[in-house]
Amino acid sequence: MFILSDLYRVSIGVGNRVLTPRMKQIVKWDHPAGMKYIHFWAPLMKWSLVGAGFGDMLRPANKLSLNQSISLFATGATWSRYSMVIVPKNYMLFAVNIFLAFVGGQQVARIAHYRYTHLETPNEKEKQI
Amino acid sequence: FNTNFSTHFWGPVANWGLPLAALADLKKDPEIISPKMTVALCFYSMLFMRFALQVKPKNRLLFACHFANECAQLMQLARFLNHKYGTPKPMKQYQVPSDLVQSK
């Protein structure tokens, strides 16, 4: 169950031994928000949400969840404002959340367009709500 | 409870939309679940649970939000897998005429 965390710890140990001090300086290995700590990897994983959202562009619009798209847009918009307000300013977080807001907004627009153009049968209307 | 309603509070409140949306979607058609997004959200919430406890000051509201989201996304993933691989569907090249199909 803890295989991933062991793997992570082992690779950090390997990195500590293999990298030269000059290389460590270049990649900021010992920085408190660097590659050794969760402060780096967690915001980086937020890009996977953007990627998944892009991948969802291939899905037909009636297979998208409206609730999820709205909440993605809201969280992207809120955090992109707050990442510029906190000290220190976090440009990476700003970028991720701007993209997330765009992806969420694009999904909402697709769903809205689909529902606007496909409201013929009462069966469809039932399924949508 | 920290009554200083700063970014530390409203940021996680915005993030609560995700688990609430997933909980609302539990009753809906499993067709609308997107597998990529659900798996991505599972990993994202796993990492942010630790992030919320490691950041200074500790953000327990964010931790609770991501814990709830993790549970909700795992439920959605289970529903999706059950819908896609659990219910028997005839293979494409062996389409049985609809009047002969026995509905489950």
Side-chain angles (χ1 to χ4, degrees):
Chain A
M1 181 180 142
F2 292 104
I3 283 194
L4 282 180
S5 53
D6 288 339
L7 200 65
Y8 176 69
R9 208 167 9 97
V10 162
S11 31
I12 297 295
V14 163
N16 270 330
R17 277 169 300 184
V18 161
L19 294 177
T20 65
R22 178 70 192 140
M23 280 161 73
K24 284 189 187 177
Q25 233 179 347
I26 293 175
V27 305
K28 296 196 170 65
W29 182 253
D30 293 312
H31 192 277
M35 294 201 270
K36 289 198 284 188
Y37 303 106
I38 190 73
H39 295 264
F40 177 77
W41 296 108
L44 203 64
M45 269 312 273
K46 216 160 178 180
W47 282 106
S48 73
L49 292 186
V50 177
F54 269 128
D56 275 351
M57 274 207 260
L58 300 170
R59 275 171 84 87
N62 59 341
K63 300 265 173 82
L64 294 174
S65 155
L66 181 66
N67 284 334
Q68 197 173 66
S69 311
I70 292 180
S71 53
L72 282 175
F73 173 75
T75 185
T78 310
W79 278 103
S80 65
R81 186 220 180 251
Y82 279 138
S83 64
M84 288 288 115
V85 167
I86 58 177
V87 173
K89 286 191 193 183
N90 200 339
Y91 287 107
M92 171 70 93
L93 207 63
F94 177 69
V96 168
N97 287 298
I98 283 280
F99 272 90
L100 199 62
F102 272 126
V103 161
Q106 191 245 10
Q107 282 192 350
V108 169
R110 275 181 72 206
I111 297 174
H113 176 77
Y114 181 83
R115 291 194 185 183
Y116 186 71
T117 54
H118 283 83
L119 270 186
E120 299 113 15
T121 61
N123 202 9
E124 287 232 10
K125 256 198 135 152
E126 255 176 29
K127 274 175 92 173
Q128 278 166 13
I129 300 169
Chain B
F1 182 65
N2 186 16
T3 56
N4 182 15
F5 288 109
S6 62
T7 65
H8 276 268
F9 179 73
W10 291 113
V13 165
N15 256 331
W16 264 105
L18 278 171
L20 295 177
L23 290 174
D25 276 349
L26 277 181
K27 299 190 186 72
K28 296 197 184 152
D29 201 3
E31 285 277 308
I32 60 171
I33 303 175
S34 153
K36 296 176 193 155
M37 185 55 91
T38 311
V39 169
L41 280 167
C42 285
F43 279 118
Y44 161 78
S45 276
M46 256 197 279
L47 286 180
F48 267 87
M49 279 199 274
R50 175 159 171 84
F51 178 83
L53 293 178
Q54 293 288 36
V55 85
K56 285 188 169 60
K58 277 195 204 183
N59 205 335
R60 290 201 174 92
L61 183 61
L62 191 69
F63 176 77
C65 162
H66 283 293
F67 186 74
N69 196 26
E70 181 74 25
C71 297
Q73 297 303 328
L74 286 173
M75 283 200 268
Q76 286 285 69
L77 191 62
R79 279 181 74 222
F80 169 76
L81 290 174
N82 192 36
H83 174 76
K84 182 152 192 220
Y85 300 113
T87 56
K89 287 187 178 115
M91 288 197 285
K92 269 202 172 120
Q93 60 267 36
Y94 299 118
Q95 280 298 337
V96 182
S98 53
D99 50 357
L100 289 180
V101 164
Q102 294 183 7
S103 56
K104 196 178 174 200

